[in-house]
Amino acid sequence: MNELDSLVESATQLFAQSATPADLENAKAQFLGKSGRVTELMKGMAQLSVEEKKSRGAAINVTKQAIEAALTARRQALADAELQVQLKAEALDVSLPGRQRGQGGLHPVSLTLERIEGIFGSMGFDVAQGPEIETDWFNFTALNTPEDHPARSMHDTFYVEGGTATAPNLLRTHTSPMQIRHAVQHVKKHRAALDAGQPMPEIRVIAPGRTYRVDSDATHSPMFHQCEGLWIGENVSFKDLKVIFTDFCRTFFESDDLVLRFRPSFFPFTEPSAEIDIQFQTGPLAGRWLEVAGSGQVHPNVVRNMGLDPEKYIGFAFGMGPDRLTMLRYGVNDLRLFFDGDIRFLSQFQ
Ligand code: PHE
């Protein structure tokens, strides 16, 4: 191997040993720099004849080009390697399963409330919402349950700040205060028509929501749900309650062989009053009477507190337990499961 060829070879070797671009530039300087080996060779031609310069110069040029080619190749190789390292570091494994975003869904009791609203909506009932912190007036007194009325003791609840010393505010024990609140709004809206002796559009409303009592076991929770129903007009009877509620239960449970029983009962704000029991004729609950609601014809004192003349307006109300309905519909035997927030239980309803 001649001197020039071995120069190319040692340059190529030194370039190959350069692991970084900086090393490579140092290696380049040793051959192509101002005092590099190739430059030295050029300088060494000074004493040669014109003829010799021609051939020697051409040979050195070939050598220089070969070294430059090796340099370029090595530069490219280092840049490629660096790119590979970078790509590897930033690599996305597209074959990994994505992180799943939980689908989420409605709570079983919310599903029931939606169902109730849908069914009563189709029967022309509005949906009203009201406060969970109530005054003594709306929760009791306006509902014909004055202070010291024994029925209050069944509605032991949580008292909160506000109200008066003898009638403090409380967490509502039922959704019945919405009977008064909604009716008063309705009457206010139609005041002019009423004053002109014109007929008032009927009140037809349901009021779902949270309610509270000091109660806690497998079938009672200190916070639970109720859904009130109210229908007031000039000619609304107990028969309408039976029709409406039977229709509701059969639609809700998707079962035509379901019978209802209106069992005489007492509520201060209805007279007469009835508990509504249902009985399935088939299925796992067949043959048992299951209580699902309280109901009755709205008491004249309550109609008066709505701002209406009880001689002219009459109607019925009911209050049902959506938690209970949910338990019956899905076969859940412990109410507390609804409020524990255990995803293993809740996800079964999606
Ligand atoms: N508010 C009653 C309760 O909580 C239920 C009810 C509502 C009864 C409407 C009659 C009419 O027990």
Side-chain angles (χ1 to χ4, degrees), residues 155 173-174 176 179 213 226 228 267 269-270 294-296 317-319:
H155 286 229
T173 62
H174 49 179
S176 298
Q179 288 185 33
R213 286 188 210 176
Q226 276 198 346
E228 200 75 7
F267 299 101
F269 36 92
T270 47
S295 68
F318 58 83

Side-chain angles (χ1 to χ4, degrees), residues 315-329:
F316 63 79
F318 58 83
M320 59 184 157
D323 305 325
R324 191 84 208 288
L325 294 178
T326 312
M327 290 173 81
L328 293 174
R329 181 164 150 82

Side-chain angles (χ1 to χ4, degrees), residues 9 55 57 75-76 89 112 114 140 186 194 226 289-290 305:
E9 183 158 314
S55 64
R75 269 193 189 134
Q76 191 60 49
T112 293
E114 275 200 346
F140 291 124
H186 185 92
L194 279 163
Q226 276 198 346
W289 284 110
L290 308 157
N305 287 334

Side-chain angles (χ1 to χ4, degrees), residues 9-21 23-24 27 30 74 78:
E9 183 158 314
S10 55
T12 307
Q13 263 175 29
L14 198 63
F15 293 162
Q17 285 160 16
S18 306
T20 67
D23 287 351
L24 187 58
Q30 287 184 41
R74 183 59 185 155
L78 283 180

